[in-house]
Amino acid sequence: MTDLENLQELSRKAFATTYGFMLMSADYHWNVEGPDFLQHHELFGRVYKEVHRHIDVFAEQLRGIQTWAPATFSQLHDSSSIVGEWTGTKYTPQEMLHNLYLANGKINTDLINAYTAAERAQEYGMANYLSERMDQHRKHGWMLYASMKVV
């Protein structure tokens, strides 16, 4: 496998995991219930909307490295690190926070792998884009982690 082919594969995986995370956060935004409804609804909505704003740009980045963006449910399911684990079950707000936090960690792993491949393939524009997404998901991670803390 060439460096470019490796980058393409790892980038599609990172895209699919990000898309799955977006769907998970949208599910939680729409369906959260409980005494702290508004707080959780706003946090999940903030995460969902930020990821949603960047999913089209991510797809365009994939096209820029001469590969396709996973778009069908089966392609997303087969490529994602989280879609197969997320069942859409009704969760408590604390379980939702925990699930999103863990899923966010999987996105970071996929983004790091794709970033490393981008540098190896000398695709520095893609590496820059992935680096920016890693920074944003680090922010999502600390917000989710801070929201799980019991003080």
Side-chain angles (χ1 to χ4, degrees):
M1 178 180 295
T2 68
D3 287 343
L4 180 60
E5 290 168 334
N6 188 48
L7 170 61
Q8 292 167 335
E9 181 179 322
L10 291 171
S11 296
R12 285 192 307 268
K13 180 180 178 106
F15 176 88
T17 301
T18 301
Y19 201 95
F21 179 81
M22 182 190 70
L23 292 175
M24 181 187 286
S25 60
D27 173 17
Y28 293 171
H29 170 66
W30 297 329
N31 294 307
V32 68
E33 296 178 327
D36 295 323
F37 162 79
L38 188 57
Q39 172 189 339
H40 292 108
H41 178 72
E42 288 178 2
L43 174 61
F44 298 146
R46 181 178 178 168
V47 171
Y48 157 65
K49 290 172 187 171
E50 190 284 326
V51 176
H52 183 265
R53 275 193 310 273
H54 291 276
I55 205 73
D56 184 62
V57 177
F58 202 160
E60 290 169 355
Q61 290 290 323
L62 290 173
R63 298 301 296 147
I65 59 167
Q66 303 166 5
T67 193
W68 50 273
T72 67
F73 288 120
S74 62
Q75 290 169 342
L76 292 164
H77 181 272
D78 292 346
S79 298
S80 173
S81 294
I82 63 170
V83 171
E85 298 174 6
W86 171 54
T87 62
T89 303
K90 185 170 169 54
Y91 296 106
T92 67
Q94 286 301 318
E95 290 170 327
M96 291 174 174
L97 287 167
H98 180 76
N99 293 345
L100 273 180
Y101 178 76
L102 293 177
N104 192 65
K106 291 180 180 186
I107 289 173
N108 279 320
T109 298
D110 288 352
L111 289 171
I112 289 167
N113 291 338
Y115 174 85
T116 302
E119 285 205 326
R120 199 172 301 119
Q122 298 181 335
E123 288 287 346
Y124 301 115
M126 179 59 128
N128 183 58
Y129 173 76
L130 294 167
S131 175
E132 290 172 2
R133 295 311 303 151
M134 288 185 291
D135 283 345
Q136 188 58 53
H137 279 282
R138 182 177 344 167
K139 183 177 179 181
H140 293 321
W142 72 254
M143 287 192 309
L144 293 164
Y145 183 78
S147 298
M148 289 187 297
K149 282 191 153 192
V150 178
V151 288

